[in-house]
Amino acid sequence: MELTREIYWNVGRGVLLPMYLLAFAAIGVMAWGVWQRIKVYRQGLPLERTDNLQERILAALRRVFGQSLVMRVKGPGTFHGIFFFGFFLLFIGTTLVFIQADLTDPLFDWKFLSGGFYLLFSLVLDLAGLAAILMLGGLAVRRYLKRPEGLPNVWDNALMLGLLLAILVTGFVIEGARMAVTEVGINPRLAAWSPVGLVVAKTLSGMSEADLRTLHQGTWWLHLLLTCGFIVAIPFTRFRHLLTTSANYLFAERRPKGTIATLDLEDEQAESFGTGELKRFAWKDLLDADACTFCKRCQDRCPAWATEKPLSPMKVINQMQQLAFEPPGAGLIDTVSKDVLWACTTCYACQQTCPATIEHVNKILDMRRHLVLMEGEFPGEEVATAVDQTEVNGNPLGMAFAGRGDWAADLGVKTLAEDPEVDILYFVGCYASFDKRNIKVAKAFVQLCQAAGLKVGILGKEEKCCGEPVRKLGNEYLYQTLAAENIELIKGYGVKQVVATCPHCFNTLGRDYRDLGFEVPVEHYTTFLHRLLQEGKFKIRPEAFTATYHDSCYIGRYMDIFEEPRALLKAAGGTITEMERSGLESFCCGAGGGRIIAEEKIGTRISETRAKMAAGTGAPLLVSNCPFCLTMFEDGVKGAELEGTLAPKDLAELLVERLSLT
């Protein structure tokens, strides 16, 4: 018997005209709906996101068809990914049917859906449809029966699940009714290659042929109408993520992670700085607001949300979406709320985990800029004081700038003003210059460099805060003032390389200062020391110890530096017991986003939460590589009453204790 099937069996080719009229009408409504949303995006400010277009297109295609960002999270991510692949295979199958039925067969008398290829075609589509139904069931159970805390249910959840399920089920009913008439007991070889359809056919086999034909024809039209309804619903429901997420992949940020737009503060045409109104966001920000799928991955990984702060990155994005697409109501910042904006630690966990590549952090920073630059607001008096101290003394701690290099007096380290001929400039940062606990880290780093035969120089009293904390709190003006002074100073000395022990200084000098003309190579001490150790420039005497390692946000997620610090720990004899939240999933210490100089007044302390995670590993040492993290952990261990159980320590301290001088 022939190994193929009649495509328009029982409905006839007379359905072509109404079918295509319905399909084109549905596509027309969808296109109109999409254009209405595009008009809203176009209200945003210009932003260049079409550079390297070929690379962008290839990257977007890899993400869409590989489902790599979606499937990073087991469970719902896996369900969604498998459903996508199943539904996509069904789409390909429908397209092949259209090509044969309406193009190659009537025009060229060529039927390629036959023989062995058709058997494989039938099997793949049956299994794809079954997989899609099962995955929808899993997603429905998660959404309605075992809904995780904080997972919102919006009105179109049920519509989306129900409509997709109805499309898939009616497809199998159509197949089963046809097979019950034409294949069961007649063409068993062909029927065997459609196993799901065969099960349905046997279930329906008790019906008369007339009833089966009526069922088939009625279900065929229902299936068509459901499919057209799906097409129409795309721009008006969260089905739109099929388009908006794909577009987000295409227009994703391609600059280094964490890049912040440098404001032109001399622009006399600027009406305001920062973003206090939705119209002051770029068009990509409005597209972002429309791309959220309410998956709550960002919320699950937000350290502020996890410690009872009001910040939910998901909620911020959806509040923006509501303001953009619903009748005008409250203002942007009043809707989001100031407490939400100030709670962000800029840890980047929300953006790193978002399957739609939504850019949460810079939106919050832009609103902070408006609060500070246009309204003169800070999250508290202590922050206003720290900002004033930074402006007067070049550091937020209020210490006299003249004593910034005193810590190095007994190490033989000279300032560049005394001797500019050095191998590296150590940009010390505020905490390692003035904070007693972090001065130990600065000394340890210098001793390691000296053991490697390197001549280290510092700026001493000429060095000023890199400006990162005040910038992340919204004070772009003070940041640029500090940056300009640091850049001019370093350039003037002809420095060849800068090394920082502070990840915030490292990111700021190595990335943000580029916008201001700074081109000197900048490296964090972990990768710098790792390279020196590999080159045999200094030796470490391994002594066994057990520790847990904290991936600071500005080294880990921002710069993808994960292996080098761990390699140094192992070289020192360390056995690392990882926390559950480590690597890209690491949990913030609570100091980022300028929070190092702000009191934590709402919820529980982030540093205490992280200290408890570290204590849960049973390791006696909590190792970090950031002065902000070390400071927070010293307080967090005390606050969590873990003294005597857990001791915070910097990586440089462990290395210098094991420094081999032979």
Side-chain angles (χ1 to χ4, degrees):
M1 286 189 171
E2 187 179 14
L3 298 178
T4 188
R5 293 183 176 112
E6 181 184 347
I7 291 176
Y8 289 113
W9 177 84
N10 194 47
V11 292
R13 298 188 66 86
V15 301
L16 288 178
L17 180 60
M19 179 180 71
Y20 280 114
L21 286 175
L22 283 171
F24 285 131
I27 293 170
V29 174
M30 180 194 73
W32 178 83
V34 169
W35 176 243
Q36 298 309 304
R37 307 196 85 79
I38 290 175
K39 287 196 296 185
V40 174
Y41 309 152
R42 286 162 60 92
Q43 294 175 15
L45 298 177
L47 180 68
E48 174 54 52
R49 285 293 176 90
T50 56
D51 56 302
N52 301 314
L53 192 56
Q54 181 177 350
E55 293 180 17
R56 286 181 173 276
I57 292 172
L58 291 175
L61 291 174
R62 284 194 296 269
R63 284 177 168 177
V64 170
F65 294 107
Q67 291 286 286
S68 56
L69 299 185
V70 173
M71 296 183 70
R72 285 184 303 190
V73 176
K74 296 179 181 179
T78 305
F79 292 161
H80 185 285
I82 295 175
F83 171 78
F84 170 85
F85 294 130
F87 208 78
F88 181 64
L89 286 172
L90 293 172
F91 173 76
I92 292 175
T94 302
T95 303
L96 291 176
V97 168
F98 156 73
I99 291 173
Q100 174 177 293
D102 300 333
L103 296 177
T104 65
D105 187 12
L107 297 179
F108 307 106
D109 194 27
W110 178 39
K111 297 180 180 179
F112 56 85
L113 294 177
S114 62
F117 174 72
Y118 184 70
L119 295 180
L120 181 62
F121 172 85
S122 299
L123 178 62
V124 168
L125 292 194
D126 253 40
L127 296 180
L130 177 61
I133 288 175
L134 293 175
M135 294 307 103
L136 274 182
L139 291 170
V141 167
R142 176 177 182 265
R143 177 70 59 176
Y144 293 105
L145 299 181
K146 295 185 177 180
R147 185 169 54 152
E149 183 180 356
L151 182 66
N153 250 338
V154 292
W155 70 270
D156 52 359
N157 282 334
L159 172 66
M160 293 169 65
L161 290 169
L163 186 54
L164 290 171
L165 183 62
I167 290 171
L168 292 166
V169 170
T170 54
F172 278 122
V173 172
I174 293 168
E175 181 183 43
R178 183 193 64 231
M179 291 176 64
V181 174
T182 64
E183 294 173 28
V184 175
I186 300 171
N187 193 348
R189 183 184 177 193
L190 178 58
W193 287 84
S194 298
V196 182
L198 183 57
V199 170
V200 177
K202 288 182 176 180
T203 302
L204 300 175
S205 59
M207 298 173 63
S208 68
E209 179 175 338
D211 288 341
L212 286 168
R213 286 180 176 273
T214 300
L215 175 65
H216 175 273
Q217 194 170 72
T219 308
W220 190 94
W221 282 106
L222 176 60
H223 183 76
L224 174 62
L225 292 173
L226 289 170
T227 303
C228 290
F230 165 73
I231 295 171
V232 167
I234 287 174
F236 305 107
T237 67
R238 284 194 298 135
F239 277 138
R240 60 179 169 270
H241 80 273
L242 295 168
L243 305 177
T244 53
T245 299
S246 301
N248 251 14
Y249 292 162
L250 178 64
F251 299 124
E253 175 68 88
R254 294 182 65 84
R255 295 177 299 174
K257 286 192 289 186
T259 297
I260 307 169
T262 299
L263 298 182
D264 180 4
L265 298 172
E266 304 299 323
D267 184 3
E268 297 180 356
Q269 304 300 316
E271 298 178 2
S272 65
F273 295 109
T275 304
E277 300 176 279
L278 202 67
K279 66 180 182 180
R280 298 293 302 170
F281 277 119
W283 63 266
K284 173 61 168 60
D285 294 310
L286 300 181
L287 173 60
D288 272 359
D290 216 21
C292 180
T293 62
F294 291 84
C295 70
K296 85 178 185 74
R297 292 188 192 182
C298 59
Q299 180 176 285
D300 285 345
R301 285 154 184 79
C302 177
W305 179 263
T307 53
E308 296 87 44
K309 314 293 189 294
L311 168 60
S312 161
M314 175 184 67
K315 187 175 180 180
V316 170
I317 295 302
N318 283 283
Q319 286 171 328
M320 287 179 54
Q321 196 265 357
Q322 291 166 10
L323 289 173
F325 290 93
E326 295 181 6
L332 173 64
I333 291 179
D334 287 339
T335 298
V336 174
S337 91
K338 296 171 185 177
D339 282 342
V340 164
L341 296 177
W342 295 128
C344 179
T345 67
T346 67
C347 70
Y348 209 78
C350 51
Q351 284 187 225
Q352 181 273 326
T353 197
C354 179
T357 64
I358 291 168
E359 299 161 24
H360 311 74
V361 176
N362 281 3
K363 294 174 180 51
I364 291 174
L365 294 181
D366 279 339
M367 287 185 269
R368 284 183 175 183
R369 282 171 163 174
H370 177 83
L371 285 173
V372 173
L373 297 176
M374 304 309 298
E375 299 181 16
E377 290 200 32
F378 292 100
E381 289 299 322
E382 76 284 0
V383 174
T385 299
V387 170
D388 288 342
Q389 291 170 341
T390 303
E391 190 168 5
V392 174
N393 294 314
N395 69 85
L397 303 174
M399 307 298 286
F401 64 86
R404 194 171 184 111
D406 291 351
W407 64 272
D410 59 346
L411 294 174
V413 176
K414 294 183 179 180
T415 66
L416 295 192
E418 297 171 315
D419 182 2
E421 296 300 321
V422 297
D423 295 310
I424 64 166
L425 166 63
Y426 173 28
F427 193 91
V428 186
C430 301
Y431 277 76
S433 295
F434 296 113
D435 176 67
K436 290 182 179 180
R437 182 66 185 85
N438 281 287
I439 284 174
K440 295 179 182 179
V441 178
K443 288 184 174 183
F445 171 67
V446 170
Q447 289 173 317
L448 290 165
C449 290
Q450 290 174 337
L454 296 178
K455 185 178 179 181
V456 180
I458 61 174
L459 294 172
K461 65 181 180 181
E462 292 184 297
E463 180 183 293
K464 292 191 174 181
C465 177
C466 69
E468 192 268 353
V470 295
R471 188 186 203 198
K472 294 296 170 61
L473 286 168
N475 197 330
E476 180 77 6
Y477 175 80
L478 181 53
Y479 156 73
Q480 290 194 24
T481 300
L482 295 165
E485 293 176 1
N486 283 327
I487 290 170
E488 183 179 2
L489 184 65
I490 296 172
K491 281 184 173 181
Y493 283 121
V495 172
K496 300 291 192 298
Q497 182 177 14
V498 178
V499 180
T501 48
C502 175
H504 299 264
C505 294
F506 166 50
N507 276 263
T508 303
L509 272 69
R511 180 195 59 214
D512 299 347
Y513 278 18
R514 299 295 184 242
D515 283 354
L516 301 173
F518 187 69
E519 298 177 353
V520 179
V522 183
E523 191 169 2
H524 188 253
Y525 86 93
T526 52
T527 57
F528 181 71
L529 292 179
H530 179 256
R531 187 172 67 256
L532 292 180
L533 185 63
Q534 284 190 316
E535 293 172 354
K537 296 295 178 65
F538 69 95
K539 295 181 179 180
I540 295 295
R541 181 181 65 258
E543 294 178 4
F545 67 95
T546 301
T548 189
Y549 173 71
H550 169 75
D551 292 281
S552 62
C553 305
Y554 277 73
I555 289 298
R557 273 187 294 271
Y558 274 82
M559 289 294 183
D560 294 317
I561 297 173
F562 299 106
E563 298 307 319
E564 292 88 345
R566 288 173 169 81
L568 288 172
L569 277 173
K570 291 176 182 177
T575 298
I576 304 172
T577 305
E578 298 284 4
M579 287 179 269
E580 182 178 352
R581 296 285 296 271
S582 63
L584 281 172
E585 299 295 325
S586 184
F587 192 86
C588 184
C589 72
R595 297 293 315 175
I596 185 70
I597 58 176
E599 294 180 11
E600 198 168 350
K601 302 172 184 176
I602 302 175
T604 57
R605 295 179 64 84
I606 296 174
S607 60
E608 292 179 15
T609 300
R610 186 56 167 169
K612 290 176 182 177
M613 292 181 187
T617 67
L621 290 178
L622 169 56
V623 180
S624 62
N625 51 39
C626 170
F628 289 7
C629 294
L630 186 59
T631 300
M632 299 300 284
F633 291 149
E634 289 284 345
D635 292 340
V637 166
K638 293 176 184 176
E641 299 181 350
L642 293 170
E643 292 175 289
T645 302
L646 183 69
K649 207 155 193 176
D650 190 272
L651 176 58
E653 295 178 292
L654 287 168
L655 294 176
V656 81
E657 289 171 0
R658 292 158 176 77
L659 185 60
S660 176
L661 300 177
T662 58

